[in-house]
Amino acid sequence: MTKQTPLALWRRPTFWPVALLALLWLLNAALTPNFARIEVRDGRLFGSLIDVIHRGAPVMLLAVGMTLVIAMRGIDLSVGSVMAMAGAVAAQLIAVHDAPLAVVVAVPLVVAAAAGLWNGLLVTLAGMQPIVATLILLVAGRGVAQLITGGQITTFERPAFQFLGTGALLGVPFTLWLVAGVTLLVGALLRLTPLGLYVESIGGNERAARLAGVRVRAIKVAGYVLTGLCAGLAGLIATADIKAADVSNCGLYIELDAILAVVLGGTSLSGGRARMVGALAGALIMQTLTTTMLMRGIGQEYALVIKAVVALLVCLIYTPRFRGALQRLVGREVHAA
Amino acid sequence: MGVRVWAACLPAGSIAVVSDPLLQMRGIDKWFPGVHALNHVDFSVRPGEVHALIGGNGAGKSTLLKVLTGVLRADGGSITFEGTPLVCGSPAEAVRCGISTIYQEVNLVRTLSVAENLLLGRAPRAWYGLSWRRMRMRAVELLGGLGIDIDVSRPLGSYPVGVQQMVCVARAVDTDARLIVMDEPTSSLDARETRRFFALLEQLRARGLSVIFVTHFLDQVYRISDRITILRNGRQVGVFEAAALPRTHLVAHMLGRSPAEVEAAAGATAAASAVAPERPAAEHATTLGGATPVLSVHDLGRCGTLAPVSLAARAGEVLGFAGLLGSGRTELARLVFGADRADSGVFEVDGRRVKIKGPRRAILLGLAMAPEDRQADGLVQDLSVRENIVLALQAAGRRGAAGGRTGSENAGCGDAGGRGGGFGWGARARQRSLARRFVEQLGIVCADLDQPVRNLSGGNQQKVILARWLACRPRVLILDEPTRGIDVGAKAEIERLVRELCRAGLAVIFISAELDEVARLSDRVLVLRDRRAVGTLERSRISEEAIMAAIAGKGGQEPFQQP
């Protein structure tokens, strides 16, 4: 056995998404006025970068759960609807029942976890294809949310709850703390307990994992429940942010952003790899693009196209064929020099 | 036209044949990179005969058929069909020439109706387009002629596989096939379906059609075929009249032994008596006077997969499973391990009755299985050597690897894995040291522990799987073809390892297609044929020849039996 040689930096799995994010930020800092400026106002940090992270929080939260599910060759299309459901429940609890804060936070999360459980059971026990199983809740969930609010936008005033979306702790937006906390917790579960091994073995070779005694079904269900919880938390943030449960818009199409973030992060849809840091970087890349375009006054129609082009480029980098071609190109230049 | 050919290279016991063959393949050569897949193979089929093509894994059966049906191009040799040279570059051309193929998996469109499937591409037309009425009539007529009476407007997929298979045959007949190639057509049929299918074959034969029939079921070979061609390692080793070829000879030819040798060693009568009639496992225990078996299984079976089998695995013993490809060796191993669900069967571990509902339960009870297909069922290719080694131990959690239960009696591989368990938090360092110990003890050659397992050679991959199971300190280790596809050196190492493990008190179940390995290693050999256990050989009677004789059965006089 030879001594382990450290991997070249650019060969590490999370290098590309993080590098691209850094590049985007650097470009922005150079080209967009005020992008890199961070100032302290009223004892809290303000600035475009902070805003990017704050706005990107829901997608980042979703990406954390989605990474696990996708690494097990699943997918969860229902996260946006689950967000809407969680938001609707929270808003109703405040506006109609005037429930205490603990209840307002806990009950929506329980609902979201139950939604995840439902997805997980459909996939594992009923044996449905994940895309179909979660499509059901994608459609039904928003309907349920509308039933909960009676089809109206429920508005509320509850500073303690709004803190979730707009508050700051030690000068840093509370959403950031939440994302950091969830990321660290799930990251620790993945890397410090065997959970990551189970997840990647299920995604890599489910039959082998089963024959090795891995509780395939239980772990898959756990993945969906965790994704549900993340979606619930994202729903609470989104609702607290606007002081209202807007069920027909809350989390609309966000599942696509989350999936794209995971893919940008280097987790393959064919499973077997879980790259959480990459997924977070992916979510931030998307949000940075959105924020930049807003700041530069580029219209929504262009923004979408530009986002798509960036996503396409990153995904191309992940294909071995494209990378081979790129390497040959770079190699030739080196030779010529 | 009309070249009279003496069937080539006929060993003793076969009959020289004089007739105008329908198909004559002469001196067929086919090379794959580094492999001489077909070595000057001669093969001929007469009009109106069912010709069985027999051979073990890698014998060249499917390559030969692919050359015949235009899927592959031969590197040498000639093919004449109905007296004229056959040149076909694609399966479609072969069909036009009159050669149809029926595959193991029905290759028709299951969602279309039976009639549509039968007449796809040749549907009767009318001035307004397809004539559905005439199409149905044609289909009914066609199937009726073959004695099949079904509703042709129902989707093909709504019928059992046996019927689908027959529709395939009817379609072949309708495309004016003179030769139908059947690649394991009966492998997914039950006894009744097989009988009906054979009745259909008889009819084809009566009409003067020829059939090339590939199967692993020896009983079926004798039941239906007129002649048998045996291939081994890419060579044709003989063409025989089925009626004149004793089963022992057939098996000997397949395995590359001379029939005389087998007969001399085992003797037709001795062979029969050497195979003890099947007895319940409990009885074995009393006859051997041994301790309670670690694992005993009674009447374990699964409908359509394996007739009920009983067996017992004892500490410090190797129990071999022997049988030809498709005899049910792997199926039995999977049932024992809970990988497939059994219909019947009772398990006892240390004499205590237990239930094994899945692999996880089996592992917690102290079983381990290195599966036949390393790639599909064993390794997680993208994960590292370390992760692949610790996977089962981690998954088993504390209970499976509990040092206390199986304890020191199973020294296994030293004390490796002794402190196993579900490492919980902060496990990576311990995983590494465990993996490193196994890598050293088993001599796994890898650059480092975090290297993806896909980059390892076959032998090293096999050792990684062994390491995975040894880390769990099992009491019963099932090795399904552990030596397949690995080099000679690695084979010898694995044999040595099995002996060592046995001495350390493990019960090993050893499965291999190579009978010499089974004979060398096993203390007892369970012999399987055509998906049922036919007997157990005890230590004193184990020899390659005895196993072969048991596999062959009693000279083909047995009544036709279905699994």
Side-chain angles (χ1 to χ4, degrees):
Chain A
M1 258 174 52
T2 56
K3 196 82 191 112
Q4 189 183 356
T5 48
L7 272 172
L9 187 65
W10 58 276
R11 278 185 189 279
R12 298 210 177 185
T14 39
F15 171 76
W16 287 103
V18 174
L20 185 74
L21 180 63
L23 184 74
L24 264 181
W25 282 358
L26 282 176
L27 274 178
N28 260 320
L31 300 176
T32 312
N34 296 330
F35 184 83
R37 208 167 77 205
I38 293 176
E39 53 188 1
V40 181
R41 240 184 271 158
D42 308 332
R44 62 178 292 184
L45 298 171
F46 269 96
S48 304
L49 272 178
I50 300 295
D51 193 51
V52 164
I53 301 175
H54 175 64
R55 295 273 154 238
V59 176
M60 286 202 274
L61 282 174
L62 296 181
V64 167
M66 194 73 84
T67 303
L68 288 191
V69 172
I70 289 181
M72 291 189 278
R73 265 188 217 204
I75 200 155
D76 189 346
L77 296 183
S78 71
V79 286
S81 298
V82 173
M83 278 177 71
M85 270 162 68
V89 171
Q92 286 304 105
L93 283 173
I94 297 170
V96 179
H97 304 285
D98 199 28
L101 182 67
V103 174
V104 173
V105 172
V107 173
L109 288 182
V110 169
V111 169
L117 184 67
W118 164 260
N119 282 333
L121 292 181
L122 281 187
V123 170
T124 55
L125 286 190
M128 277 190 204
Q129 286 169 323
I131 197 164
V132 177
T134 56
L135 189 60
I136 293 169
L137 198 57
L138 165 72
V139 177
R142 205 164 287 280
V144 171
Q146 274 161 355
L147 286 178
I148 292 171
T149 58
Q152 274 142 30
I153 297 179
T154 311
T155 54
F156 55 84
E157 287 290 336
R158 177 71 76 85
F161 180 70
Q162 283 155 237
F163 184 83
L164 262 181
T166 52
L169 201 63
L170 303 176
V172 178
F174 189 66
T175 46
L176 242 99
W177 291 106
L178 269 180
V179 171
V182 169
T183 308
L184 284 178
L185 185 71
V186 178
L189 275 174
L190 272 184
R191 294 297 157 212
L192 301 181
T193 75
L195 186 71
L197 176 62
Y198 300 155
V199 165
E200 293 191 337
S201 69
I202 291 171
N205 188 344
E206 187 173 327
R207 282 167 68 182
R210 178 171 111 68
L211 286 179
V214 175
R215 286 193 192 91
V216 174
R217 283 179 173 176
I219 288 166
K220 277 188 172 179
V221 170
Y224 283 101
V225 170
L226 188 81
T227 308
L229 273 173
C230 288
L233 206 51
L236 290 184
I237 291 176
T239 306
D241 204 19
I242 58 169
K243 295 185 284 180
D246 179 4
V247 286
S248 38
N249 288 312
C250 175
L252 195 64
Y253 301 137
I254 202 170
E255 61 278 351
L256 302 180
D257 282 342
I259 293 167
L260 196 54
V262 172
V263 173
L264 288 185
T267 301
S268 158
L269 281 181
S270 55
R273 278 183 297 173
R275 309 258 185 255
M276 227 176 58
V277 176
L280 295 180
L284 284 176
I285 290 171
M286 306 298 291
Q287 189 59 48
T288 305
L289 287 171
T290 311
T291 305
T292 311
M293 291 202 260
L294 278 176
M295 285 176 73
R296 301 180 67 93
I298 298 172
Q300 176 75 7
E301 61 275 22
Y302 295 107
L304 287 176
V305 174
I306 293 172
K307 261 173 147 179
V309 169
V310 172
L312 177 70
L313 278 178
V314 176
C315 293
L316 270 179
I317 289 176
Y318 287 130
T319 62
R321 215 179 271 185
F322 184 82
R323 240 193 306 201
L326 206 69
Q327 264 166 19
R328 275 194 299 280
L329 208 69
V330 173
R332 209 168 294 147
E333 278 169 16
V334 170
H335 277 292
Chain B
M1 179 66 212
V3 190
R4 309 221 146 205
V5 184
W6 290 84
C9 55
L10 293 171
S14 59
I15 295 169
V17 173
V18 190
S19 83
D20 283 338
L22 174 75
L23 170 77
Q24 178 81 51
M25 299 176 84
R26 244 174 292 175
I28 303 292
D29 270 302
K30 179 72 197 174
W31 287 88
F32 290 124
V35 187
H36 203 169
L38 291 177
N39 190 347
H40 225 67
V41 172
D42 292 319
F43 180 60
S44 75
V45 179
R46 292 182 209 151
E49 77 165 343
V50 175
H51 195 128
L53 187 60
I54 304 293
N57 242 341
K61 298 181 304 258
S62 38
T63 312
L64 185 66
L65 294 181
K66 279 179 184 164
V67 166
L68 171 64
T69 55
V71 178
L72 292 174
R73 188 171 285 274
D75 296 325
S78 66
I79 308 175
T80 46
F81 184 66
E82 298 180 313
T84 53
L86 180 78
V87 226
C88 54
S90 72
E93 250 177 87
V95 171
R96 271 200 295 283
C97 295
I99 302 174
S100 280
T101 311
I102 313 286
Y103 297 95
Q104 186 175 351
E105 306 297 329
V106 176
N107 58 336
L108 293 178
V109 189
R110 297 162 51 87
T111 47
L112 292 184
S113 74
V114 172
E116 284 166 310
N117 270 298
L118 271 173
L119 299 167
L120 208 65
R122 288 167 292 113
R125 287 176 178 278
W127 57 268
Y128 50 82
L130 285 180
S131 165
W132 294 98
R133 196 180 53 83
R134 276 172 51 209
M135 188 157 151
R136 275 195 296 276
M137 277 164 52
R138 274 286 309 281
V140 169
E141 189 186 322
L142 189 62
L143 290 174
L146 293 169
I148 307 165
D149 179 24
I150 55 174
D151 180 358
V152 296
S153 54
R154 271 175 57 188
L156 183 72
S158 66
Y159 289 103
V161 192
V163 175
Q164 296 182 26
Q165 204 72 269
M166 292 199 273
V167 171
C168 288
V169 174
R171 183 179 158 88
V173 170
D174 190 54
T175 52
D176 194 26
R178 269 88 71 206
L179 176 63
I180 303 183
V181 179
M182 300 187 177
D183 193 0
E184 293 198 54
T186 54
S187 61
S188 44
L189 305 190
D190 67 24
R192 213 167 47 85
E193 288 176 320
T194 306
R195 267 198 298 281
R196 283 184 70 184
F197 191 76
F198 280 1
L200 182 65
L201 283 191
E202 307 268 3
Q203 280 199 22
L204 297 183
R205 178 156 57 188
R207 289 183 176 203
L209 266 75
S210 301
V211 173
I212 300 175
F213 183 65
V214 177
T215 184
H216 293 300
F217 300 134
L218 293 190
D219 286 326
Q220 297 188 0
V221 170
Y222 281 103
R223 162 81 199 268
I224 195 73
S225 53
D226 302 301
R227 286 199 302 160
I228 302 171
T229 293
I230 304 173
L231 296 181
R232 201 180 109 76
N233 291 339
R235 289 169 188 275
Q236 191 246 60
V237 295
V239 185
F240 306 93
E241 294 289 333
L245 178 70
R247 266 170 195 252
T248 13
H249 290 203
L250 173 64
V251 174
H253 281 303
M254 283 176 71
L255 298 168
R257 292 309 176 104
S258 86
E261 194 184 327
V262 176
E263 288 204 327
T269 47
S273 65
V275 182
E278 222 192 312
R279 288 172 297 179
E283 213 175 299
H284 279 306
T286 54
T287 51
L288 280 173
T292 324
V294 184
L295 171 75
S296 64
V297 174
H298 306 274
D299 293 326
L300 180 67
R302 180 183 157 98
C303 192
T305 306
L306 191 73
V309 176
S310 299
L311 59 89
R314 289 189 177 71
E317 265 189 16
V318 177
L319 171 64
F321 289 178
L324 298 172
L325 189 72
S327 61
R329 327 180 281 237
T330 296
E331 289 79 358
L332 176 55
R334 288 181 62 91
L335 287 178
V336 169
F337 191 60
D340 295 321
R341 187 153 302 184
D343 295 335
S344 65
V346 176
F347 294 86
E348 276 177 23
V349 171
D350 293 329
R352 260 200 343 264
R353 184 170 287 209
V354 294
K355 282 198 173 129
I356 297 185
K357 274 184 277 178
R360 186 179 165 72
R361 186 78 199 116
I363 293 165
L364 295 179
L365 286 166
L367 271 65
M369 180 176 80
E372 180 192 29
D373 190 339
R374 278 196 296 277
Q375 315 291 334
D377 294 332
L379 297 166
V380 186
Q381 298 285 6
D382 286 329
L383 292 187
S384 66
V385 173
R386 166 182 60 85
E387 287 168 315
N388 269 287
I389 289 178
V390 301
L391 182 61
L393 181 61
Q394 290 272 254
R398 255 163 230 105
R399 287 166 63 203
R405 187 176 51 77
T406 63
S408 48
E409 72 202 57
N410 277 314
C413 243
D415 64 338
R419 261 162 277 134
F423 303 114
W425 297 81
R428 196 161 291 202
R430 260 183 296 166
Q431 288 185 354
R432 285 194 72 86
S433 74
L434 179 83
R436 183 172 302 119
R437 220 171 335 160
F438 275 105
V439 164
E440 280 162 16
Q441 275 172 0
L442 299 182
I444 297 171
V445 181
C446 59
D448 75 84
L449 292 173
D450 289 319
Q451 182 184 14
V453 80
R454 76 161 69 248
N455 300 339
L456 267 53
S457 72
N460 283 309
Q461 289 188 345
Q462 189 65 55
K463 287 185 195 166
V464 167
I465 293 190
L466 278 176
R468 173 191 293 171
W469 292 117
L470 294 178
C472 294
R473 311 185 90 198
R475 308 188 58 207
V476 180
L477 178 61
I478 305 170
L479 301 174
D480 192 355
E481 299 251 24
T483 58
R484 184 158 96 189
I486 67 179
D487 64 70
V488 182
K491 275 185 188 180
E493 275 180 70
I494 287 192
E495 270 188 45
R496 185 182 51 76
L497 188 69
V498 168
R499 289 218 175 80
E500 232 170 67
L501 290 170
C502 247
R503 261 200 302 281
L506 216 73
V508 177
I509 293 178
F510 185 83
I511 305 172
S512 174
E514 293 174 40
L515 296 187
D516 56 323
E517 275 181 7
V518 178
R520 266 201 307 279
L521 276 172
S522 306
D523 296 297
R524 282 173 305 129
V525 176
L526 181 75
V527 180
L528 296 124
R529 184 199 327 137
D530 298 354
R531 292 179 179 169
R532 59 171 64 244
V534 292
T536 309
L537 294 166
E538 302 292 342
R539 177 72 267 183
S540 57
R541 288 165 171 164
I542 293 176
S543 68
E544 245 186 289
E545 291 75 19
I547 296 175
M548 260 185 248
I551 289 174
K554 296 157 199 161
Q557 292 138 19
E558 281 175 45
F560 171 66
Q561 275 178 335
Q562 259 295 304

